[in-house]
Amino acid sequence: MPPKSGRAASRGAQPHLGEALPIERKLELYYWMRLTRTLEERLVALYRQTKVVGGLFRSLGQEADAVGSCYALEQRDVMSPLIRNLGAMLVKGATPVEVLKQYMAKGDSPTRGRELNIHFGDIGEAGKTRGFLGQISPLGDMVPVMTGVTMTFKMRGEDRVGLVYVGDGATSTGAFHEGINFAAVQQLPLVVVIENNGYAYSTPTSKQTAAAQFVDKAIGYGVTGEQCDGNDVLAVYDCTKRAVDRARAGEGVQLLEFMTYRRKGHAEHDNQSYVPDGEIERWAAENDPIDRFVRVLLDREKVAQATLDEIDARVAKEVDAATDIAEASPFPEPLDAMIGVYADPPVEKPLWFREGADVSKLGKERAEGWGTFDAKGGK
Amino acid sequence: MAEITYLEAIREALDEEMARDHNVFLLGEDIGAFGGAFKVTEGLMKKYGEQRVIDSPISEIGIVGAAAGAAHMGMRPVVEMQFIDFIANAYDMLTNYVATARYRAFLPTPMVVRGPSGGYVRGGPFHSQNPEAGFIHTPGLKVVYPATAEDAKGLMKAAIRDDDCVLFFEHKYLYRRIKGVMPAGDHVVPIGKARTAREGRDVSIITYAATVHKSLEAAEKLAAEGIDVEVIDLRSLAPLDDEAIFNTVRKTNRVLIVHEDTRTGGIAGEITARINESCFAYLDAPVLRVTAHDIPLPYAPQLEDFVLPQVDDIVTAVRRLVGW
């Protein structure tokens, strides 16, 4: 029997699942991390050109925790990201074009200009959907929603696992508590990842909780908990893969804590005046997840620098191509705002003072094909 | 066909829909083994098993959120609020998450949140509220509040089959007081359609839920005075049946809106504004309202009776309209 709660049993003689990955899969992890960082750097450039409509949120320094954890899921599994999980979204099948269009509020973005950044989803039947469920801004809310998603897996006897990300700040919400507690009682195949990156906007973890560490909360919920170095992509993969396997085997909710650090502000507008001097620089110099993984690949795995350069060049080309498509995409038609509040009626009527607005072209037909995805980036 | 109560009609609807569609399931506090605080779900766990009638922790956010997640995946959950007052805990989940899901992310969220609402039962401040006004303001939600046993069953079946989230308010005062004979076969009442509870020429009362019965009682009293009152039972509060509202205004030219909810920000204000925008030329008197006072609902009978609208208040208001 597995432990009912508290720390997962140590690996003992089990192999380290991250280190045991074949080299081509380790290079895939490198590719996803590099793509995440390069895509974000491109978004910064677009933001400075005022082509990003709203705020821009970076995951600089947290790429390993998003990529390594999501890489431990199967295609049929479902993941719900947070604002700094661009890497997880990419691993799960969201495309750079989709992300760029979202940020630029294009009419053929996955949400057709209705929602921002990575707030978009594609869930449903295994094999027919990519299995990610975009979050909403009130933090913690996705935990109970993913409780419902995994409850459905259990009801239908489907061999699928759910994974939901929360930050250190979201653990303070009622939604987090209610979601994980309900899932624990129901013994659902749900992995809850707490990314402890030191800050919730400007609030340091010391003001968020009196608990010494978040993984201790596992005991209170009667679930299995484990903590790992969130900036070591192989350790993150190892820790998550074992948790996913336990959840899939019917061992119930898994609570993971990844120790990481947010090197940028809450969003691009945030000057981080609240961060102690030298802290960011220290993490950048000593604990960058990509630098650390490059060391492992070059020194231990004996990968040639040229191999990494090739991946970097491929990533750059992909981001360039995606940017061209996103930039050329049209903005939404104003009238399209009236479609799809309800399934029935599919179109809202404009108010009397807008009676000149011709909604006749917004017939049922247009509304019906409304929410379908094209993974290649638009219709 | 035997008469059944308003409460039994709701149970019958849940039972029929669970039998018809294996994706329909129930979750809530004490609803399974115990059968619910009011016994609405009695017997259903025994019939459909623990997987489809789920006893949950005390977690309104948790169960509404879980219902949303399950609904995205093709299930049709029906969530019970043990008392509708506790829906306040799930306000974020319903308004920020559920109501927007289809519009912002094309996520279908077919689910029902149901629960005992309303006063006249000496329930005090937290077992008597009418929270509908807090939700009709949110695009993306549908809100229904039946007054009869027939509508309770037919609207519940429609709510479960609807592809959006429907908030289904049940009036606890009516649970065991009101009875009806269910129409044979698959009895579904469309959402968004009002019904004429009583035909009349002189004055229209637009109302819903328990005050439908108060209004009908008032109409009987007024008939003795020669005043012919029409009573419109809205049944659906979102969407509102504008057509039925405007038709009755055009017919009688005098309108009283009655609801048990408090006055300020209550749906009566919205209905008044719509009549004002669309039927101004048909009015022979200002639109009047009889509502609860803007006071938390007190417990003592003498206090509750004073705060909530009573039959005599409705009679007084109608006389005033006729004399305008």
Side-chain angles (χ1 to χ4, degrees), chain B residues 94-113:
Chain B
L94 286 165
T95 58
N96 281 320
Y97 190 83
V98 172
T100 60
R102 177 180 296 281
Y103 186 77
R104 67 179 155 77
F106 316 122
L107 291 161
T109 317
M111 57 185 276
V112 179
V113 179

Side-chain angles (χ1 to χ4, degrees), chain A residues 78 109-112 114-115 119-125 133-136 138 140-142 144-149 151-156 158 160 174-175 177-179 181-182 185-186 336-345 352 370-373, chain B residues 22-23 25-28 50-52 54-76 89 92-93 96-107 136 138-142 162-165 238-239 277:
Chain A
V78 173
S109 78
T111 65
R112 295 178 165 262
R114 290 165 178 209
E115 252 283 33
H119 289 213
F120 62 102
D122 182 15
I123 61 163
E125 217 176 312
L133 175 58
Q135 80 278 25
I136 63 168
D141 281 13
M142 298 315 292
V145 173
M146 286 299 289
T147 297
V149 168
M151 191 182 282
T152 307
F153 297 162
K154 189 180 168 187
M155 285 174 175
R156 293 181 176 163
E158 292 181 336
R160 299 166 82 182
H177 166 76
E178 294 195 12
N181 182 61
F182 189 19
V185 170
Q186 291 285 323
D336 285 347
M338 306 302 278
I339 298 179
V341 176
Y342 297 96
D344 181 25
W352 66 270
W370 188 243
T372 49
F373 282 99
Chain B
H22 67 271
N23 290 313
F25 73 101
L26 315 182
L27 74 166
E50 287 183 27
Q51 284 275 312
R52 294 185 66 196
I54 299 170
D55 276 320
S56 77
I58 302 176
S59 295
E60 283 77 17
I61 307 170
I63 56 182
V64 170
H72 295 336
M73 299 300 286
M75 305 297 287
R76 290 185 177 268
N89 294 301
D92 161 60
M93 201 50 85
N96 281 320
Y97 190 83
V98 172
T100 60
R102 177 180 296 281
Y103 186 77
R104 67 179 155 77
F106 316 122
L107 291 161
I136 58 166
T138 303
L141 298 174
K142 292 179 176 176
D162 199 282
D163 286 333
D164 292 304
C165 174
E277 282 170 356

